[in-house]
Amino acid sequence: MAGQDLLHTQPRPMHWLATATAISAVVAAASFVQPPDATATTTPAATGGHPAAAPDPNRVTFPVDCGPNRLDVVKKASGDLDGDGTTETVAVVRCHSGMGSPPSGVYVLAQPGGRRAAPRIVATLLTPAQQRSVQTLAIKDGAISAAVLGYSTRDVPRCCPDVRKSVKWQWKGGKFVQSELPAAVSTRRV
């Protein structure tokens, strides 16, 4: 028979291994090359999986110094705040106190890749140094809303905030932007 002396006409196991390796390399390389207008992403909903759990604020070290007192997570709400398909958590924290209205901190938490890693703070919306207490917290349509209590003057006892403002934070232009209702509507004596 003509051509039986040629090596490529008599496949051996090494030939098949080399062919399989070459095909695998081509498929792997093709997965990295995409058209410039490709925008599809895989989210848990798109793949039929379950969305990742919201970041747990009890696993975060907040930048709040409470001295000998413990730090309390007093409110939390979760939702997709930046439209990326992942769930973030907003946590309101304050130093533990038996009385009065200690100031609150409001932090946005995200979960890095892998559930074993601790969530991390990705934004600070309110610090305790601003001397405000958060009364209510909610997330609706990607916006964070809160009723914030404060003081009209330094003479007002720190136990008894006398000003209330309704504020909203929303993700715009790569950061959280705060807005509030006009003072005539949102500020009132409590």
Side-chain angles (χ1 to χ4, degrees):
M1 221 168 169
Q4 285 187 345
D5 293 337
L6 301 175
L7 290 176
H8 70 276
T9 60
Q10 298 175 359
R12 293 192 166 79
M14 186 54 103
H15 170 81
W16 291 112
L17 181 61
T19 302
T21 303
I23 290 173
S24 297
V26 169
V27 170
S31 68
F32 291 109
V33 178
Q34 297 182 9
D37 59 346
T39 58
T41 59
T42 25
T43 61
T47 59
H50 300 288
D56 181 3
N58 293 315
R59 295 184 58 211
V60 174
T61 301
F62 293 95
V64 179
D65 181 11
C66 292
N69 297 322
R70 73 175 183 266
L71 182 75
D72 294 332
V73 176
V74 293
K75 295 179 184 353
K76 65 181 180 176
S78 298
D80 183 5
L81 301 174
D82 56 4
D84 67 352
T86 61
T87 303
E88 289 84 23
T89 296
V90 179
V92 177
V93 300
R94 69 178 186 198
C95 296
H96 182 76
S97 174
M99 62 182 154
S101 302
S104 303
V106 181
Y107 302 93
V108 178
L109 313 175
Q111 182 68 46
R115 292 299 304 157
R116 292 181 187 204
R120 61 187 173 87
I121 298 171
V122 294
T124 300
L125 305 178
L126 185 70
T127 66
Q130 292 171 279
Q131 295 294 306
R132 303 284 183 251
S133 297
V134 176
Q135 188 178 33
T136 63
L137 176 73
I139 295 177
K140 183 178 179 188
D141 299 328
I144 306 158
S145 59
V148 179
L149 304 177
Y151 306 94
S152 58
T153 69
R154 290 192 177 271
D155 296 331
V156 176
R158 296 296 117 178
C159 68
C160 312
D162 65 337
V163 175
R164 181 181 192 271
K165 292 186 178 190
S166 295
V167 296
K168 178 172 92 169
W169 292 277
Q170 198 159 13
W171 185 257
K172 292 182 183 177
K175 62 182 178 180
F176 286 99
V177 177
Q178 180 181 334
S179 58
E180 58 186 71
L181 296 174
V185 176
S186 66
T187 304
R188 66 173 177 87
R189 301 278 178 184
V190 240

